């Protein structure tokens, strides 16, 4: 069963009086528990596709099923709740809440989903240790390096044990050494926790780590690659 | 991390802007509270003055209030002593009462026939002990000593007149009234009025003869008695008092109740035109009125105290008897309301501007929170909480500053002359001890601040997530 299934998904943007197609007739199945990379040049539509899969944007037409749920049928509040429980986000610019400490940033999605305080504390400490920031729990984002911030963002994305983690060029704002370490961390966590990670990236290092690769150009899928076999039934 | 804790941290992100907004609210709250305290002080000062002068309630003959001033004698309360006794013994009323005292109003002509001058006056016969007891009322703790009536311990024929009466009757020198210029010679006759008619002069001469040696402050007070016939009382003026209002200065004559009753009723049974009731607290007026209405309606079944059923009386409160009370308090309430609306408008735009800037600055953060699963309502709540918190902090600081400034003003020794007063009174601002005013102002400001934040919060909540995340 697919983690994400898209059929004839289209999205247009309006620029003044001009209708600009961002995605046209996308059909795609994303396998569960895989490290999937959406790759393509700038303006190809990979971020738009990532946003649609992440349920933070709506298509003009087509169907979209995430974790078995027809998300296009959900109203705004229900969709927000769905994101809180089933989807984690890692952003290019980390997007941590600047007034919250590392601990509180990771804890925030757990609060949204109503997890009890003791369980929150246990999970956050476990995640801080997993990303190597156990000693930075009380630091505000402004007191952390870029790599450390992205580690906090990764921990935040994993906090609710989501079915799907979306990452939009997560290493683009990091130096190559830190970027490689972050990629390694995400790859390990994805395997350990058996989650589906979907990246958008044109970084060859990211592409090299992918289980599955989806190539996009001019709003259309030009090729897909499944580099690892289906797990045994 | 609850919404208020997060709101507080967000407010501290841009301290200068938050402080500027707080300062605007602080000044607004202080201004409202200080003017409100000043206005409240005037309200209570007026109330105290009127309650000291004419009690909380007056029992009068029905229709006296509307028609009786032209002929007070016709509206006398005959068995007033029994009525006072009933009131003072009533188990419901008695615990509320501090003073019950009779009063007789009369109209007449006061003449200094030695000087050949006279003028129309409005006389009031008072029970001096009752009058002094009325003056003791100070439920709001004003730093002004109770005044003792000049008639205290005086002879039965003693009287106190307004300075205007003294001026016209040429008694200023004898009574040592300051700022009392003599009338111009050319306008003398017109100013002093016509000479007394012969029969009145004869009555005056008779009175003067009875009084023995003529005092330099001796006047005669002519009034119609209960049967419509003229009667004259000889009075010795012991003091001329400034009343604060020229119309009163030019008309007032206060004399002993017994003297006034002899003038109006002669050998008939004495009457009064009002029974003045002073209560311990003004808040007891509705209960006292209700009880009086019961007593006036007639005896209750099984009642232990006799009622006043059948007595043609009606009850008036001090606000009805002194319409200027409502006019002045209403005027100050309108000014305070106007100031509050102005300040509310300023706070509305200040907080709204602050929150709008915060929304713009935190657009990406809003997008992030929405992506993480925060509902639109959560975003709205976040910004409204910030507005509410700003309002609460502004209100708390404003109250503290207002209390401090009020203390400074109240201890500065400043005085002012209220309308109708003769002597300056301390300028006081009543903020401390007015929890209702403080609470209303603080809650009002918090609501305005929350309302100001609501529109930017709504705008923030409606942002498209992908647009917010792309915001630069």
């Amino acid at each position: 069963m697919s983690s994400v299934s898209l059929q004839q998904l289209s999205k247009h943007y309006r620029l003044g009086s001009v209708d600009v197609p961002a995605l046209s007739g996308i059909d795609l199945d994303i396998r569960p528990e895989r490290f999937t990379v959406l790759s393509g040049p700038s303006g190809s539509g990979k971020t738009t596709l990532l946003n649609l899969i992440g349920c933070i944007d709506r298509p003009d037409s087509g169907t979209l099923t995430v974790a078995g749920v027809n998300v296009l049928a959900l109203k705004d509040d229900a969709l927000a709740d769905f994101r809180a429980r089933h989807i984690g986000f890692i952003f290019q610019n980390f997007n941590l809440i600047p007034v919250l400490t590392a601990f509180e940033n990771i804890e925030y999605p757990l609060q949204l989903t109503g997890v009890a305080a003791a369980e929150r504390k246990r999970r956050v400490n476990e995640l801080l240790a997993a990303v190597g920031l156990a000693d930075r729990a009380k630091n505000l984002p402004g007191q952390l390096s870029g790599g450390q911030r992205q580690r906090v963002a990764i921990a935040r994305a994993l906090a609710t044990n989501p079915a799907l983690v979306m990452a939009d060029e997560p290493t683009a704002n990091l130096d190559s050494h830190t970027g490689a370490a972050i990629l390694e961390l995400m790859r390990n966590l994805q395997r350990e926790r058996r989650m589906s990670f979907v990246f958008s990236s044109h970084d060859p290092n990211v592409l090299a780590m992918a289980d599955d690769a989806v190539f996009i150009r001019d709003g259309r899928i030009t090729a897909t690659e499944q580099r690892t076999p289906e797990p045994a039934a | 991390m609850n919404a208020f804790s997060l709101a507080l941290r967000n407010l501290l992100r841009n301290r200068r802007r938050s402080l500027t907004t707080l300062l605007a609210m602080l000044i607004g709250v202080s201004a409202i509270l200080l003017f409100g305290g000043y206005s409240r002080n005037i309200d209570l000062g007026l109330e105290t003055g009127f309650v000291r002068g004419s009690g909380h309630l007056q029992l009068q003959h029905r229709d006296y209030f509307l028609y009786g001033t032209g002929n007070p004698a016709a509206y006398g309360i005959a068995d007033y002593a029994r009525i006072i006794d009933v009131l003072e013994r009533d188990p419901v009323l008695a615990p509320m009462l501090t003073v019950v005292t009779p009063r007789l109003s009369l109209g007449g002509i006061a003449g200094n026939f030695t000087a050949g001058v006279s003028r129309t006056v409005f006389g009031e016969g008072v029970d001096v002990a009752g009058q002094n007891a009325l003056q003791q009322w100070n439920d709001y703790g004003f730093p002004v000593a109770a005044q003792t009536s000049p008639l205290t311990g005086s002879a039965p024929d003693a009287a106190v007149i307004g300075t205007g009466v003294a001026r016209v009757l040429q008694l200023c020198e004898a009574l040592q009234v300051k700022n009392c210029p003599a009338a111009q010679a050319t306008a003398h006759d017109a100013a002093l009025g016509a000479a007394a008619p012969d029969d009145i002069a004869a009555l005056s001469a008779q009175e003067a003869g009875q009084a023995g040696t003529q005092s330099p402050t001796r006047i005669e007070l002519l009034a119609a008695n209960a049967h419509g016939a003229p009667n004259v009382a000889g009075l010795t003026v012991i003091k001329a008092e400034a009343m604060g209002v020229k119309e009163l200065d030019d008309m007032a004559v206060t004399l002993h109740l017994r003297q006034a009753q002899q003038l109006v009723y002669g050998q008939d049974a004495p009457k009064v035109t009002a029974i003045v009731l002073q209560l311990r607290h003004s808040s007891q007026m509705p209960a006292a009125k209700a009880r009086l209405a019961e007593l006036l309606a007639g005896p209750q079944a099984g009642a232990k105290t006799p009622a006043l059923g059948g007595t043609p009386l009606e009850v008036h409160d001090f606000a009805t008897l002194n319409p200027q009370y409502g006019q002045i308090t209403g005027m100050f309430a309108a000014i305070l309301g106007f100031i509050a609306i102005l300040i509310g408008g300023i706070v509305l735009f200040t907080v709204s501007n602050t929150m709008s800037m915060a929304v713009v600055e935190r657009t990406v953060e809003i997008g992030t929170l929405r992506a993480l699963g925060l509902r639109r309502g959560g975003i709205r709540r976040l910004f409204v909480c910030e507005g509410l918190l700003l309002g609460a902090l502004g209100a708390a600081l404003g109250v503290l500053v207002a209390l401090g400034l009020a203390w400074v003003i109240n201890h500065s020794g400043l005085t002012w002359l209220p309308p109708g007063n003769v002597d300056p009174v301390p300028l006081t601002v009543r903020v401390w001890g007015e929890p209702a005013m403080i609470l209303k102002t603080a809650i009002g400001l918090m609501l305005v601040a929350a309302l100001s934040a609501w529109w930017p919060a709504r705008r923030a909540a409606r942002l498209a997530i992908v647009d917010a995340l792309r915001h630069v």
Side-chain angles (χ1 to χ4, degrees):
Chain A
M1 182 186 161
S2 307
S3 176
V4 178
S5 177
L6 299 80
Q7 289 178 340
Q8 286 301 303
L9 208 69
S10 295
K11 177 75 181 176
H12 293 71
Y13 288 113
R14 193 94 187 150
L15 284 178
S17 58
V18 182
D19 205 24
V20 181
L23 292 173
S24 301
I26 300 287
D27 290 312
L28 177 66
D29 286 318
I30 294 174
R31 294 191 296 165
E33 300 174 20
R34 291 294 192 281
F35 204 79
T36 303
V37 175
L38 309 177
S39 186
S42 292
S44 60
K46 58 184 187 299
T47 298
T48 302
L49 184 56
L50 200 77
N51 290 341
L52 292 174
I53 296 169
C55 305
I56 58 174
D57 201 0
R58 286 185 184 265
D60 298 324
S61 61
T63 61
L64 171 60
T65 306
V66 180
V69 175
N70 175 16
V71 292
L72 299 184
L74 299 177
K75 292 192 183 304
D76 198 77
D77 281 352
L79 198 59
D81 295 346
F82 181 83
R83 283 196 302 271
R85 292 182 190 284
H86 299 291
I87 303 175
F89 286 91
I90 301 167
F91 300 96
Q92 184 179 331
N93 292 318
F94 326 127
N95 290 19
L96 297 177
I97 308 302
V99 295
L100 300 183
T101 63
F103 184 99
E104 290 164 341
N105 263 291
I106 300 166
E107 187 188 28
Y108 193 80
L110 294 170
Q111 279 191 307
L112 287 180
T113 49
V115 176
E119 174 63 10
R120 290 204 304 262
K121 188 176 178 186
R122 188 194 66 75
R123 276 206 231 173
V124 173
N125 284 329
E126 187 249 322
L127 282 164
L128 278 167
V131 298
L133 290 175
D135 58 338
R136 300 286 186 184
K138 292 183 179 174
N139 284 60
L140 290 168
Q143 299 165 322
L144 300 172
S145 68
Q148 288 172 328
R149 289 184 209 181
Q150 197 59 302
R151 284 168 188 266
V152 174
I154 292 166
R156 180 179 67 181
L158 302 183
T160 56
N161 291 320
L164 192 62
V165 175
M166 313 301 297
D168 186 10
E169 310 228 21
T171 57
N173 281 351
L174 299 172
D175 62 74
S176 57
H177 178 72
T178 309
I182 290 290
L183 274 178
E184 190 65 32
L185 175 69
M186 285 197 283
R187 189 70 173 111
N188 292 337
L189 289 170
Q190 184 266 325
R191 281 183 178 146
E192 279 171 23
R193 290 163 194 264
R194 301 170 68 87
M195 293 170 175
S196 300
F197 269 54
V198 181
F199 277 61
S200 83
S201 179
H202 51 244
D203 181 349
N205 294 324
V206 176
L207 202 55
M209 283 192 175
D211 292 317
D212 295 342
V214 179
F215 297 94
I216 305 172
R217 180 178 285 273
D218 298 331
R220 295 179 187 278
I221 294 175
T222 54
T224 58
E225 289 179 9
Q226 291 189 358
R227 298 171 181 175
T228 55
E230 291 283 350
Chain B
M1 177 62 52
N2 62 45
F4 278 103
S5 176
L6 189 57
L8 181 63
R9 291 194 200 182
N10 280 322
L11 289 177
L12 293 173
R13 276 161 90 163
N14 196 326
R15 286 184 169 82
R16 185 176 294 177
R17 190 168 61 212
S18 295
L19 279 175
T20 308
T21 311
L22 276 179
L23 193 65
M25 286 193 282
L26 183 155
I27 292 170
V29 170
S30 303
I32 291 173
L33 286 178
L34 287 175
F35 187 79
Y38 176 67
S39 171
R40 183 76 178 136
N41 200 58
I42 287 171
D43 291 355
L44 297 181
L46 280 172
E47 185 182 322
T48 299
F50 288 129
V51 169
R52 282 180 171 182
S54 56
H56 283 99
L57 303 169
Q58 285 194 11
L59 275 174
Q60 296 179 351
H61 192 287
R62 190 175 301 145
D63 295 335
Y64 170 72
F65 182 63
L66 294 177
Y67 307 107
T69 48
N71 184 16
Y75 293 88
I77 303 169
D79 54 348
Y80 69 92
R82 182 187 70 83
I83 294 170
I84 289 174
D85 186 58
V86 168
L87 298 177
E88 287 180 333
R89 287 171 181 272
D90 185 76
V92 179
L93 270 180
M96 298 188 238
L97 295 172
T98 53
V99 183
V100 183
T101 184
R103 190 172 283 182
L104 174 61
S105 299
L106 58 100
I109 298 171
N112 179 358
F113 294 111
T114 309
V117 289
S118 66
R119 68 148 300 140
T120 54
V121 293
F122 186 76
E124 192 143 56
V126 298
D127 172 66
V128 176
Q131 203 64 20
N132 284 337
L134 283 175
Q135 286 289 325
Q136 298 300 316
W137 196 85
N138 193 13
D139 207 24
Y140 305 117
F142 279 90
V144 180
Q147 290 182 337
T148 305
S149 168
L151 290 175
T152 307
S154 63
D157 66 342
V160 176
I161 59 174
T163 51
V165 179
R167 189 167 53 243
V168 174
L169 297 186
Q170 299 183 14
L171 295 172
C172 288
E173 192 177 339
L175 294 169
Q176 299 179 325
V177 180
K178 293 174 184 172
N179 303 319
C180 184
Q184 293 291 321
T186 51
H188 185 82
D189 290 342
L192 303 185
D198 290 344
D199 53 345
I200 304 303
L203 269 172
S204 166
Q206 187 184 338
E207 274 292 317
Q210 287 170 359
T213 311
Q214 185 83 351
S215 160
T217 62
R218 186 78 179 170
I219 64 170
E220 286 73 38
L221 179 59
L222 168 70
N225 68 15
H227 306 291
N231 196 9
V232 170
L235 302 173
T236 303
V237 179
I238 57 172
K239 189 177 182 186
E241 271 191 332
M243 304 290 174
V245 179
K246 186 171 185 303
E247 287 76 9
L248 273 179
D249 267 346
D250 290 349
M251 294 282 284
V253 174
T254 308
L255 59 159
H256 287 281
L257 177 64
R258 186 73 199 118
Q259 184 74 29
Q261 287 173 324
Q262 277 186 346
L263 178 61
V264 177
Y265 299 106
Q267 298 306 310
D268 294 347
K271 298 179 183 179
V272 295
T273 50
I275 297 171
V276 177
L277 285 81
Q278 192 181 63
L279 307 173
R280 293 185 192 285
H281 311 292
S282 299
S283 58
Q284 294 170 322
M285 277 204 299
K289 274 181 169 179
R291 181 57 183 163
L292 285 168
E294 280 178 15
L295 292 173
L296 291 174
Q300 303 290 308
K304 290 180 181 174
T305 52
L308 306 173
T311 315
L313 299 177
E314 58 189 11
V315 184
H316 296 291
D317 60 28
F318 72 89
T320 309
L321 295 168
N322 305 281
Q324 64 271 40
Y325 172 76
Q327 291 161 353
I328 295 171
T329 54
M331 181 185 73
F332 274 95
I335 295 172
L336 179 61
F338 184 68
I339 289 174
I341 288 171
L342 278 182
I343 289 173
I346 292 168
V347 168
L348 191 97
F349 284 107
T350 307
V351 175
S352 187
N353 185 46
T354 298
M355 299 316 295
S356 293
M357 289 171 76
V359 167
V360 171
E361 283 173 3
R362 282 154 54 194
T363 300
V364 175
E365 195 177 311
I366 292 165
T368 305
L369 291 171
R370 292 278 290 128
L372 292 179
L374 186 64
R375 294 178 176 189
R376 289 186 197 276
I379 297 289
R380 272 197 300 272
R381 192 158 47 247
L382 188 63
F383 284 96
V384 170
C385 277
E386 287 179 33
L388 205 57
L389 204 58
L390 266 178
L393 285 170
L397 292 173
V399 168
L400 289 176
V401 168
L403 285 169
L405 286 175
W407 189 91
V408 170
I409 292 168
N410 294 345
H411 290 79
S412 64
L414 293 172
T415 59
W416 74 297
L417 193 63
N421 267 38
V422 178
D423 302 315
V425 298
L427 177 67
T428 50
V429 177
R430 197 175 284 259
V431 180
W432 182 258
E434 293 294 333
M437 180 179 73
I438 292 174
L439 207 63
K440 273 192 260 183
T441 306
I443 290 175
L445 185 91
M446 286 166 66
L447 287 178
V448 168
L451 187 71
S452 316
W454 187 83
W455 184 254
R458 181 176 175 272
R459 199 155 42 82
R462 290 164 71 94
L463 285 171
I465 299 174
V466 288
D467 292 341
L469 288 171
R470 273 201 295 261
H471 183 81
V472 181

